[in-house]
Amino acid sequence: MTVLPTGFFRPAGLASEIAGNWSPALSPDGRHAAYVSDRSGTPAVWVQPVGSELTFQIAFPEPVTEVAWSSGGGWLACQIAPGGAPRHEVWLVRPDGSDPHQVAGFGEDTAENMRWLPGRPVLALTENLTSTVLVDVVAGTRDVIAKGDLVSLCDVDPAGRFALLRYGPRGSRRIVLRDLATTFDEVITPGEVAVFSPGGGCVYARSEDGEFPALVRIAGGTTEVLASGPAEVESFAVTADGRTAALLWNVRGGESLLELLDLDHDGHGQKQSVPLPGAVVTGLCWSFDGSTLAFTAEGPGQPHGVWACDRDGANLRAISAEPAAVDAVHPTLATFPAHDGRTLTGWLFTPAGTGPHPTVIWLHGGPEAQERPGHGPLFQSLVRRGIAVLAPNVRGSSGFGRDFVNADNIGLRYGAIEDVRSCVTYLREAGIANRVGVMGRSYGGYLTLAALCAYPELFDVGIDVCGMSNFATFYEHTEPWIASAAISKYGDPGADADLLRDLSPIHRIDRLRAPLMVVHGENDSNVPVIEAEQVVAALAARGMPHRYLLFPGEGHELLHRSSRAAYLRETIDWLTTHLQP
């Protein structure tokens, strides 16, 4: 590690963090799996027979973030992150690693939302949230089927007559049925995810029309609710024959529940629960023949692993997964009031022995993300060193209904900042905490800075990981599609300029008193590095204690295991130094 002026570090890194596996994709018969793993140090595509430990790596020079297997079996679509940045390219490659070639995300464009159309050699994707594209790998064609501001392609019906498009900014998205011949659009439900049935006669969608998202079926102008409740339907996946839906619920503050729903009986058939190997599940994926369901599972002390089960939920087996640590600390779900009477929750990790303990508040990004009881090597490391961790879901978090996720929009953001103070109040009144630190990444980094400047007397240390410090410069330098989508959440940089200035921590940085570590990826184009540079320059000018970790070759996420290991080491050192003086 090289030490540079004003507490600036370029981490050398240690490749010691446990590998993770995610983004499962199954061959058409379910006998082979492709997935992304960083076991080699950088996320790459790996292919192996299900039930075998024999693996084959498909090498790309840049990190891979996602993979999808075509229903015909001949191609893998791979989402690549050049320089670790948020801009993505899409490449096609044979499952044996031959014939790699790029099909989307050229130049300054970014490509996302990959989906193979069932039974067709056609890959659907979106570029820049302005163009929806179909790539025919047999004909070698690339067709733009719809354009617009903040548009994304969900699906195309088997006859090629209609498309399902997603329009709108964050928190206000809707699913539109487009007639591709006439370009006539019909809004069918608020939401973000929808697919056609195998025959194209109806649409399955995760509808956000109520307080909690539900699974619905839409046909002939009628919407039928198939699954709903006082919890969120997080995602779903329908088999290619249209007979079974895998349904993933978000329950009890972030734990997962997986059910298989029989669609043969008008959607009112039997539900079968699937035993889960970890507390949090993502990435549902059926094989084209419907024989096998794959998914990713994780839990406290248990890194992301890829798992599979049969169509009836039986025969659960690991495709590639590390065992959970036997000494992992499992959190409890804390519940406490906010300043205005709202109920807040958070996952609380406590060391052995009676409190109070030095404690860190960890704030997740989004803000529409959610803190869940998944794999958290930082939390486990801190608890082993006698430091408690509270990972709250302040207002604006998903998983708790529409009212809660929208409770921090624009001028309501002051309430989210006050929620951080409510966390400190809870920790002190419950006898959990004495010295308190606060940290977070992305939006959580912003909220960290905001809380440190609003309530400087409450905190002994802080860490800002790729957070926004100045909304004006964020809007000026972020990707244009990110800026457009963020207006509904943060405010308009023109019309709401005064509000955004008042909410920007850089204009209150003279109030900050706690030693602050700032962490950023050099290639971040989501929250550009200027957001960190302003803070570091302001702290240096005032002689405030700080440290700056800049990661070359990384973007908004630290994709390389060596970077994450260095971040973990430096974070633990910074927090123990200031919380356990």
Side-chain angles (χ1 to χ4, degrees), residues 112-173:
E112 61 181 3
N113 196 27
M114 303 185 308
R115 170 175 165 77
W116 288 102
L117 300 186
R120 289 162 280 177
V122 179
L123 181 68
L125 53 87
T126 302
E127 288 183 323
N128 307 330
L129 288 182
T130 57
S131 298
T132 63
V133 180
L134 294 181
V135 178
D136 189 316
V137 300
V138 173
T141 57
R142 185 179 185 277
D143 297 320
V144 176
I145 64 168
K147 286 192 171 186
D149 187 35
L150 298 179
V151 62
S152 185
L153 178 59
C154 298
D155 202 5
V156 177
D157 79 306
R161 295 177 52 208
F162 298 94
L164 292 170
L165 306 176
R166 186 198 77 190
Y167 275 104
R170 292 159 60 177
S172 185
R173 288 170 174 155

Side-chain angles (χ1 to χ4, degrees), residues 193 204-207 213-217 225-229 231-239 244-251 255-263 267 269-276 281-286 293-295 309 311 372:
V193 181
Y204 293 100
R206 179 181 179 268
S207 174
L215 176 65
V216 303
R217 178 164 49 198
V225 177
L226 302 181
S228 64
E232 291 195 352
V233 172
E234 183 176 356
S235 66
F236 70 95
V238 179
T239 53
T244 306
L247 192 61
L248 191 60
W249 294 86
N250 183 330
V251 299
E255 293 178 328
S256 294
L257 171 66
L258 178 58
E259 293 182 325
L260 301 177
L261 175 63
D262 180 3
L263 297 175
Q270 183 178 1
K271 290 181 181 178
Q272 176 67 45
S273 294
V274 178
L276 298 181
V281 165
T282 55
L284 300 178
C285 169
W286 287 103
L293 175 69
F295 51 85
C309 67
R311 186 183 184 118
R372 309 179 71 173

